[in-house]
Amino acid sequence: MERDVHPAEATLRPQHLIVTIFGRYGRARGGTVPIADLIELMAALGVDAGVVRSSVSRLKQRGVLVSDRADGAGYRLSESLEEVFAAGDHRIFETRRATPDDPWLLVSFSVPERERPLRHQLRKLLHRLGFGQVSGGLWVAPGLIADETRTALQQAGLDGYVELFLGARVSSEPLAEAVQGWWDLSLLEPLYRSFVDTYAPVLDAGPSDRDAFSAYVAAITQWRRLTYLDPGIPFALLPDGWAGVEAERLFGELHDRLEPPAARFVAAVMD
């Protein structure tokens, strides 16, 4: 019988789902995922073989996946991305929230005019890490991502243009109001609410191992995006009734409920 497609799958790109599979299961199983196994796993997500192959080709062109020399029919994540995925594990699977008294991480950068394109790279990287913007060349985030930020800048070869500071804010404007200027919270709130609306019904569904895998991979893929839009802003500085509280609780429950049957499905395919 054909499986009903999970509601989130229609909005998640196949490349993103493939990256989740490699990050969550490929790394834990020696690194390599045979293409035949990947096609079967992606079929559970409603993606056909042709789309899987073309998506893998694009990921190879981007340097995300590499062919396994010991197995021409398999692929693995590029070794250069290991620290990126390790940092992603912390973001996705660990609850990380700063408190209002924790230090803030400030990033200031200066790029010579002759290297102007690097400014765009720096802004793009800081945005990807979840930084808010205080002014044109000054960005802010909770101090708990200091190590992750330092590593990301070093890997991108941009650390020489940046100064990092940890400290407290002493301005007179209420901190909660400042936070709402540094981050576009109007963007985040509906994304959290959409996550809750999409995945809360999964907890009542009692899915098969195959469907648990489908929902789990889709949930991780969508949650990963949210964790990089919000780097752990203290809840006390966010609006009342912030949907992120419910979304974090829901993801924890999804992980506890879906991870074991999803792992069984992967084992059945790959062992």
Side-chain angles (χ1 to χ4, degrees):
M1 179 181 297
E2 187 174 351
R3 182 187 65 87
D4 291 335
V5 175
H6 191 277
E9 293 167 20
T11 61
L12 296 174
R13 295 176 58 189
Q15 290 184 48
H16 296 163
L17 296 168
I18 290 172
V19 168
T20 298
I21 289 173
F22 274 88
R24 185 62 181 159
Y25 299 107
R27 292 162 63 221
R29 304 176 72 85
T32 300
V33 178
I35 187 63
D37 291 350
L38 180 62
I39 288 172
E40 186 172 350
L41 293 172
M42 289 292 287
L45 286 151
V47 181
D48 66 39
V51 174
V52 174
R53 293 184 185 278
S54 63
S55 297
V56 166
S57 177
R58 293 188 184 97
L59 289 169
K60 284 183 63 182
Q61 292 173 4
R62 290 168 49 196
V64 176
L65 295 181
V66 295
S67 298
D68 191 317
R69 295 179 180 178
D71 182 356
Y75 298 90
R76 61 172 55 242
L77 290 168
S78 170
E79 291 183 3
S80 64
L81 297 175
E82 178 54 39
E83 289 188 3
V84 174
F85 278 86
D89 288 344
H90 292 298
R91 286 256 185 157
I92 296 167
F93 298 107
E94 297 180 8
T95 301
R96 306 189 321 156
R97 279 285 161 190
T99 71
D101 295 329
D102 288 339
W104 291 94
L105 173 63
L106 294 174
V107 174
S108 176
F109 62 83
S110 178
V111 178
E113 186 62 28
R114 66 180 181 275
E115 298 178 281
R116 188 172 182 177
L118 293 180
R119 297 177 194 169
H120 174 70
Q121 293 182 36
L122 269 166
R123 293 189 185 103
K124 184 177 180 180
L125 175 59
L126 294 174
H127 180 73
R128 181 180 66 79
L129 291 170
F131 277 78
Q133 190 169 11
V134 179
S135 61
L138 185 62
W139 297 65
V140 64
L144 55 82
I145 69 167
D147 289 341
E148 180 182 353
T149 299
R150 187 183 302 110
T151 298
L153 288 166
Q154 290 172 348
Q155 289 182 329
L158 297 171
D159 52 312
Y161 301 92
V162 173
E163 291 288 348
L164 302 178
F165 303 89
L166 280 175
R169 178 177 178 272
V170 296
S171 299
S172 58
E173 178 189 8
L175 184 53
E177 292 182 14
V179 163
Q180 294 187 44
W182 299 338
W183 280 274
D184 187 356
L185 299 182
S186 64
L187 169 67
L188 284 174
E189 175 74 16
L191 292 175
Y192 276 129
R193 180 54 54 195
S194 175
F195 183 87
V196 172
D197 292 344
T198 298
Y199 292 101
V202 174
L203 294 177
D204 300 322
S208 66
D209 289 357
R210 178 186 175 94
D211 286 351
F213 167 81
S214 171
Y216 187 51
V217 169
I220 291 174
T221 304
Q222 193 163 339
W223 186 247
R224 181 174 67 228
R225 178 190 182 195
L226 290 173
T227 61
Y228 278 97
L229 291 175
D230 173 4
I233 303 168
F235 277 136
L237 301 178
L238 294 168
D240 292 339
W242 183 245
V245 177
E246 185 178 0
E248 285 191 6
R249 176 195 57 77
L250 173 61
F251 182 76
E253 292 185 14
L254 289 166
H255 174 66
D256 292 342
R257 184 82 60 85
L258 299 179
E259 195 276 334
R264 287 196 300 268
F265 176 74
V266 172
V269 171
M270 298 188 65
D271 289 347

